[in-house]
Amino acid sequence: MIPPTEPEAAGRLRRALEGFRKAQNLLLAAHRQLKGMPSDEVDRFWLAAGARLERHLHLAATEVLAAFKAFSAAGLVAGANDRHMITEAQRLLTEGGR
């Protein structure tokens, strides 16, 4: 396999981090919308649409880690803000929680 070039690896990580941020924002918006709703409606949401949002966040976190691996293999170093997001993705996958 040919190792990715620096611009490709950097672009992949940038796109992965952007997708992860968007997925986090969608989940946060869902939590905010559910505040004050009856618990049975909240439960129904998490069984359907909420579960899809969580899967999407999990997939986005998985892509962040894969992109970061390629980024690092290309000899690149992530900035502090990006490292924070990468750590959040790692934590999400390790803890497996909401």
Side-chain angles (χ1 to χ4, degrees):
M1 183 171 136
I2 300 171
T5 64
E6 289 181 16
E8 290 171 350
R12 180 180 178 191
L13 181 59
R14 181 183 43 76
R15 289 186 303 275
L17 290 170
E18 183 179 317
F20 184 62
R21 281 186 199 103
K22 287 179 181 180
Q24 284 180 314
N25 288 337
L26 286 172
L27 200 59
L28 180 60
H31 277 283
R32 288 179 177 156
Q33 289 177 342
L34 295 172
K35 282 187 179 182
M37 292 180 76
S39 62
D40 60 327
E41 287 183 40
V42 171
D43 291 341
R44 276 195 303 271
F45 173 82
W46 287 115
L47 288 173
R52 286 190 302 276
L53 286 174
E54 288 177 331
R55 273 193 309 277
H56 178 67
L57 182 63
H58 187 274
L59 290 172
T62 301
E63 174 55 18
V64 165
L65 296 186
F68 180 62
K69 185 176 179 179
F71 182 84
S72 295
L76 302 171
V77 178
N81 288 337
D82 291 345
R83 281 294 306 162
H84 175 73
M85 293 298 295
I86 293 162
T87 300
E88 283 188 38
Q90 288 172 325
R91 187 176 307 124
L92 175 85
L93 294 175
T94 301
E95 295 173 358
R98 253 190 241 183

